[in-house]
Amino acid sequence: MGEEDQLQEAPGKGDPAGASPRGLPLGPITLNVGGTVYTTTLETLTRFPDSMLGAMFRDPRPACTDHRGHYFIDRDGKAFRHVLNFLRQGRLELPEVYPELGLLQAEAGFYQIQPLLAELGRLAAERRRRRAGAVLHVDVAACERLLHFTVRRGPHNYGLSTCPLRVFSANVFCTDGALLDLLRGRLGADSPGEEPGAAGGPHRLQLEWAPRPPELPEAEYAKQKARPLRTAPPEGRELATAGDFLEEVLKVALDQGFRVDSVFPDPADILNSHSLRLVRL
């Protein structure tokens, strides 16, 4: 077992100066929660005396510390950030799109912080209500740029060449931000052309991409600041047409309970459409 993983029994009440009569430090308290270190106060940790943390930081002292003397709790360290902030502020502050609500509920249940559990329950109910009536709208457009560039044909021989570059743009709006997070993951974390600060925030995804034509040299392609669009590894499939993009959107949306509501212009040719609307009842 490595040094980082070694735990030891916390010392008892006969601690040196700097400890409270209960054996706890008078100053800041440092916790190691699943490998993530937090520093807080005894007052914060015991804000709700009937919680597990409230009981843990009353006599008797916590059961174990790590090799640095930090109090060790074998739980999810990332989720504890929100638990600790609730203890500090008395209210729940989560991003509008927070994909680990179930995990946070499990952590709040372990710590037995009843006001936090109640707040998470209300938030989960609200999300279920929003998800039930979610709407997804997808618009895809394409334009063609005619590129002119020189090609070296010999030591002193250059010629002019022309090549069309097809540029696609997509605007995706969904009232369920979690669906867009799934789509971003499907298309890779650094989707080309995405504007993180676009209007609509977590409910809107804007993309622009342009597959490289075989006859266009890579250097000329790079000059256009164009990039392809691919699905995330390990598949890494290039989306060379609007239909390829719509197919990926449909895979994610249908898997999440959405159903096609309208297709423009031709409902019989969904993968060659310009606009899709899907709903989840």
Side-chain angles (χ1 to χ4, degrees):
M1 180 179 294
E3 184 183 9
E4 292 292 330
D5 297 321
Q6 292 176 358
L7 302 177
Q8 60 189 28
E9 291 295 320
K13 293 184 178 180
D15 290 343
S20 71
R22 294 183 297 175
L24 290 165
L26 294 173
I29 294 176
T30 302
L31 305 176
N32 176 348
V33 184
T36 303
V37 175
Y38 294 91
T39 300
T40 185
T41 65
L42 181 61
E43 180 182 8
T44 295
L45 291 170
T46 58
R47 177 167 186 161
F48 299 102
D50 294 335
S51 70
M52 187 278 282
L53 288 171
M56 180 179 176
F57 285 92
R58 295 194 303 265
D59 268 340
R61 292 185 63 182
C64 58
T65 61
D66 65 14
H67 74 285
R68 293 189 181 95
H70 302 158
Y71 297 114
F72 181 80
I73 304 175
D74 188 17
R75 299 296 297 185
D76 189 276
K78 184 179 176 182
F80 188 74
R81 170 195 173 194
H82 302 293
V83 174
L84 186 57
N85 282 338
F86 184 82
L87 294 175
R88 288 168 172 160
Q89 303 169 10
R91 65 181 185 275
L92 182 62
E93 298 285 351
L94 291 177
E96 185 171 353
V97 177
Y98 181 69
E100 297 184 327
L101 188 61
L103 172 62
L104 185 53
Q105 285 180 300
E107 295 303 294
F110 172 79
Y111 295 113
Q112 284 298 298
I113 303 173
Q114 297 304 324
L116 177 56
L117 281 168
E119 186 65 24
L120 287 168
R122 286 192 289 271
L123 180 58
E126 175 64 17
R127 286 195 175 183
R128 286 192 296 271
R129 185 189 67 78
R130 289 181 182 178
R131 285 175 59 86
V135 176
L136 171 64
H137 194 95
V138 186
D139 288 307
V140 184
C143 65
E144 197 166 273
R145 298 177 189 169
L146 197 60
L147 306 181
H148 304 280
F149 53 94
T150 57
V151 178
R152 185 175 182 178
R153 307 186 192 282
H156 305 288
N157 183 13
Y158 291 85
L160 183 66
S161 186
T162 301
C163 173
L165 179 69
R166 196 162 180 78
V167 181
F168 297 92
S169 60
N171 188 4
V172 185
F173 173 81
C174 188
T175 56
D176 181 6
L179 184 281
L180 289 186
D181 278 350
L182 290 172
L183 186 57
R184 288 186 181 97
R186 177 74 180 172
L187 298 178
D190 56 346
S191 299
E194 181 179 351
E195 301 175 11
H203 296 288
R204 189 178 300 279
L205 174 63
Q206 294 174 309
L207 298 171
E208 184 176 284
W209 72 99
R212 183 177 73 86
E215 63 272 26
L216 182 65
E218 290 189 8
E220 295 296 331
Y221 180 68
K223 285 182 183 179
Q224 301 301 316
K225 297 183 179 180
R227 288 185 290 177
L229 180 62
R230 293 186 176 90
T231 58
E235 181 182 350
R237 170 197 177 203
E238 182 173 358
L239 307 184
T241 67
D244 290 343
F245 175 76
L246 290 174
E247 182 181 354
E248 295 301 321
V249 172
L250 286 168
K251 285 179 184 177
V252 175
L254 296 176
D255 185 60
Q256 293 299 307
F258 282 83
R259 294 294 178 265
V260 177
D261 183 61
S262 64
V263 178
F264 179 83
D266 184 2
D269 193 9
I270 190 170
L271 293 184
N272 286 318
S273 61
H274 302 156
S275 181
L276 290 179
R277 184 177 186 271
L278 298 93
V279 297
R280 182 168 53 201
L281 303 177

